[in-house]
Amino acid sequence: MLHIHGVKKGFHVGGSHIPILDIPQWKVSRGEKLAIIGPSGSGKSTLLHVISGILRADQGEVQIDGQQLHRMTESARDGFRASRIGYILQDFHLIPSLTARQNVEIVMPGKMGSAERRDRVDSWFERARLGDRSRHLPSQLSRGQQQRVAIIRALINEPPLVLADEPTGSLDWETADEVTGLLLELCRGEQHTLIVVTHDLNMADRFPKRVHISEINAIDGVKRLAGAGKERAI
Ligand code: ADP
Ligand code: MG
């Protein structure tokens, strides 16, 4: 499903180049549910940005279902991302002036009929145990409920690849556990590949497969930061 080959990514900061990712080879199979753990600054978000094509790798290849996002035109890439990748972020990113269901409807294909659209949204809100909250504004929902709306928005178009960046990072322990359970439940089965990056070890423990970012990435972000500290001290 996902194949990364020879990918390098760094950032230019103040005239110097800081390497962040160096991934010789990494594959994720269809239907895998994978938690990538690693400390803050180790390149987890950068990795998801490179996978989704939001950021371009400096070199190497990223293939999703045999397709290379960076060989596409910008509009083809946007279309591919909208239909094939669901993205869940730590801070939900719901539009405050829209109701929960309107926040979901804006990512649905415009050509879908209104009855089909309504039924599909209703059934997903039921599955996420939010059936009675779909006409509420984000401000009228708890943080856990807001994240459940963001999960529905990521899954409504049934994307084969779901990426989540610290989805429980701003939730208390109990709510985090509930959201993790829901995400795994809704992504069950072969048709969804789920990659979560997190430093929440409780969340990672619920995943059938866990990998530390240092097993994928040859650059140790923590050492790099420690090194930068030393340089400053000198
Ligand atoms: P994580 O998600 O694991 O906390 P990130 O991928 O966000 O780590 O960041 C990895 C490193 O890359 C950090 O040291 C961060 O400061 C740096 N970084 C991330 N984005 C940029 C950017 N746009 N410009 C410069 N440095 C960046
Ligand atoms: Mg991050």
Side-chain angles (χ1 to χ4, degrees):
M1 130 69 56
L2 172 68
H3 186 185
I4 293 182
H5 179 76
V7 158
K8 293 193 181 188
K9 177 71 191 167
F11 293 110
H12 289 281
V13 182
S16 57
H17 179 260
I18 303 172
I20 305 292
L21 296 177
D22 178 357
I23 305 177
Q25 188 83 249
W26 187 51
K27 285 184 183 179
V28 177
S29 311
R30 175 168 312 285
E32 255 185 64
K33 320 294 172 214
L34 177 71
I36 300 176
I37 48 178
S40 182
S42 57
K44 302 184 300 299
S45 296
T46 306
L47 173 61
L48 292 192
H49 291 148
V50 167
I51 292 173
S52 61
I54 294 169
L55 279 179
R56 184 188 281 271
D58 299 332
Q59 45 178 288
E61 288 180 2
V62 177
Q63 277 187 25
I64 299 173
D65 279 339
Q67 301 223 49
Q68 286 198 49
L69 267 65
H70 290 302
R71 297 250 171 103
M72 297 177 185
T73 63
E74 200 175 325
S75 71
R77 188 162 57 239
D78 288 346
F80 183 91
R81 202 183 294 125
S83 64
R84 317 288 317 256
I85 301 178
Y87 217 106
I88 301 159
L89 296 156
Q90 175 172 338
D91 293 322
F92 331 133
H93 289 265
L94 300 175
I95 298 172
S97 57
L98 299 182
T99 64
R101 62 186 306 131
Q102 287 168 339
N103 265 283
V104 170
E105 283 166 353
I106 51 170
V107 304
M108 296 172 78
K111 60 181 187 293
M112 186 181 280
S114 60
E116 188 186 354
R117 178 186 302 264
R118 188 191 56 231
D119 291 350
R120 185 186 287 211
V121 172
D122 282 343
S123 91
W124 276 89
F125 273 81
E126 288 298 330
R127 287 174 74 187
R129 293 178 284 282
L130 280 175
D132 52 345
R133 309 307 295 266
S134 78
R135 295 182 195 283
H136 290 199
L137 292 171
S139 61
Q140 297 167 321
L141 301 172
S142 70
R143 295 184 71 75
Q145 288 168 336
Q146 290 179 53
Q147 189 58 305
R148 274 144 68 190
V149 174
I151 289 173
I152 299 173
R153 183 184 54 191
L155 298 179
I156 192 90
N157 295 328
E158 313 241 347
L161 179 61
V162 180
L163 305 174
D165 193 344
E166 307 272 8
T168 60
S170 66
L171 304 175
D172 63 69
W173 186 87
E174 233 177 332
T175 311
D177 199 50
E178 198 184 300
V179 163
T180 305
L182 180 73
L183 187 57
L184 283 165
E185 180 187 323
L186 296 179
C187 288
R188 210 169 29 208
E190 276 296 290
Q191 72 270 35
H192 291 298
T193 304
L194 172 63
I195 303 175
V196 168
V197 302
T198 184
H199 59 250
D200 176 351
L201 297 182
N202 290 314
M203 175 177 215
D205 270 347
R206 297 197 53 178
F207 276 68
K209 190 168 171 185
R210 289 172 296 276
V211 55
H212 194 278
I213 188 144
S214 61
E215 295 171 54
I216 306 169
N217 186 14
I219 292 169
D220 186 334
V222 176
K223 269 196 199 145
R224 186 192 61 236
L225 286 177
K230 252 182 254 146
E231 275 162 32
R232 252 182 255 125
I234 295 164

